[in-house]
Amino acid sequence: MSDDSEPGSAEFVQSLARGLRVIKAFDAQHPELTLSDVARRSDLTRAAARRFLLTLVHLGYVRANPDAATGASRFALTPRVLELGVSYLSSLSLPEVAQPHLERLSREVDESVSAAVLHGPSIVYVARVPTRRIMSVRITLGTQLPAAATSMGRVLLAALPDDETDAALAAAELEAYTPRTRATPDELRAEIARVRAQGWAVVDGELEPGLRSVAVPVRGRDDRVVAALNVSTSATRDALDRLTDVYLPRLQETAAAIGAELRML
């Protein structure tokens, strides 16, 4: 019997899969795309990409903006696409439990704080309290970033068994975002082992120059790591010692409080 999740299965709806690929072609670095861009990034023909785009425009998930110079349309997602993730996020108790704790922590340290979960080789932000913009990419709920280059990602990868960590690294497109980035499997395995041993992670200028963050795990039932929390700041504002001496203890207290509430649900 074939697996229903496989493209060859009679239960696999190829048109739905292609439509989702069109939606995923848009991201923070590519918020607006031409028809050719969408076709290339979703691995579809122009004709197929056009059909899916026009359907999504009709449904209100995509808007078409005519280019004044060429007359060709440029496409962008609309806020309605958030509806596709609301059911998932609302089914989680984590964001609801974490948010007031993050707000309290952010007031105490006067920095941006976030919570994220692991999704394959990426982290997905599920709760956040921003104080100032310190990244070139705007972080919102649902934003995905590479787990290997982020403090929360390394905490979450460290919570996995070795074979699952290796699988996540193998699936990742390891990239040297800055000269500081650990971007080889061996470097990352060594760093993740260190994070696993000490129970927290610091990333200093590996995702973006000047961006520093410290992260800790959140443990739910059965002591299982269900999320990570971080405080992010800039190298011009905070020395590394401040991350470990001031932010880390408060992060650990916050993570313990969130975990305690999660275990009561």
Side-chain angles (χ1 to χ4, degrees), residues 20-148:
L20 291 173
R21 272 160 45 196
V22 167
I23 291 174
K24 291 173 69 176
F26 299 88
D27 58 25
Q29 286 75 40
H30 306 88
E32 197 173 69
L33 298 170
T34 65
L35 172 57
S36 296
D37 293 333
V38 172
R40 183 179 65 258
R41 288 177 57 80
S42 57
D43 196 24
L44 296 171
T45 65
R46 280 175 55 89
R50 182 176 182 276
R51 290 196 302 272
F52 286 114
L53 282 169
L54 292 181
T55 300
L56 290 167
V57 168
H58 178 75
L59 294 173
Y61 294 112
V62 169
R63 66 174 182 270
N65 305 316
D67 189 306
T70 65
S73 291
R74 297 184 65 84
F75 299 91
L77 298 180
T78 71
R80 189 173 185 181
V81 79
L82 293 173
E83 294 175 359
L84 301 176
V86 164
S87 296
Y88 169 70
L89 289 174
S90 64
S91 70
L92 294 174
S93 55
L94 173 64
E96 183 178 13
V97 170
Q99 192 65 30
H101 291 279
L102 298 189
E103 290 171 358
R104 189 177 306 114
L105 177 60
S106 180
R107 287 195 300 270
E108 290 176 0
V109 300
D110 192 28
E111 295 291 353
S112 298
V113 299
S114 306
V117 297
L118 193 64
H119 177 62
S122 303
I123 58 167
V124 180
Y125 283 74
V126 296
R128 179 165 167 80
V129 181
T131 58
R132 53 182 70 83
R133 185 167 176 176
I134 57 177
M135 289 187 67
S136 60
V137 176
R138 182 168 175 262
I139 303 295
T140 60
L141 296 188
T143 293
Q144 296 190 35
L145 291 177

